Amino acid sequence: MSTLNPRQAALNGAMIRFRVMAIYCGVMSLLLWFVNVPTHYLIFKSTHHYFTWIALVHGFTYPIYVLAAFHYCLKARKSFASTIIFILAGTLPIASFIAERRAIKEFKALA
């Protein structure tokens, strides 16, 4: 296992929390947009209640993603605009995956 430099070591915990929440929020966002919304409004209007747990779980865990993204951006000393972009990335289905990849790329560049 490779050793981390002091800058990476300071970011390591925040990076792990952000990665977990970004992937989780991305998966839940995909489920919300491509399973819950179509079944609720387009396909099975009478059986949409089977998928209401997706919206509930996403709604309760999105604030945790916001806190993880904010904590990572504070630790990484990102600008205000970059912090807002990282936080809003959890609202679009693919954007949180892109933000997570960008954060990993920046983290590895610190070496």
Side-chain angles (χ1 to χ4, degrees):
M1 183 167 211
S2 65
T3 59
L4 300 175
N5 65 27
R7 181 82 172 115
Q8 284 179 322
L11 274 173
N12 193 33
M15 172 58 72
I16 291 171
R17 284 185 289 276
F18 176 70
R19 284 189 76 189
V20 168
M21 288 311 299
I23 292 169
Y24 179 79
C25 192
V27 169
M28 290 307 296
S29 187
L30 284 171
L31 285 173
L32 181 71
W33 283 96
F34 297 113
V35 174
N36 188 34
V37 172
T39 56
H40 182 69
Y41 292 106
L42 301 175
I43 303 169
F44 306 112
K45 293 183 182 182
S46 62
T47 60
H48 76 279
H49 61 276
Y50 293 121
F51 300 108
T52 56
W53 65 270
I54 296 171
L56 291 172
V57 172
H58 180 70
F60 280 115
T61 56
Y62 180 72
I64 300 169
Y65 167 81
V66 169
L67 291 175
F70 187 69
H71 184 236
Y72 168 72
C73 289
L74 280 179
K75 288 279 199 176
R77 298 181 183 148
K78 296 208 172 284
S79 68
F80 180 73
S82 181
T83 301
I84 296 300
I85 290 170
F86 267 82
I87 289 171
L88 290 177
T91 61
L92 299 173
I94 304 295
S96 65
F97 296 122
I98 295 169
E100 186 261 341
R101 287 286 104 196
R102 182 175 292 167
I104 287 296
K105 189 177 182 182
E106 293 171 0
F107 183 75
K108 289 181 179 178
L110 292 173

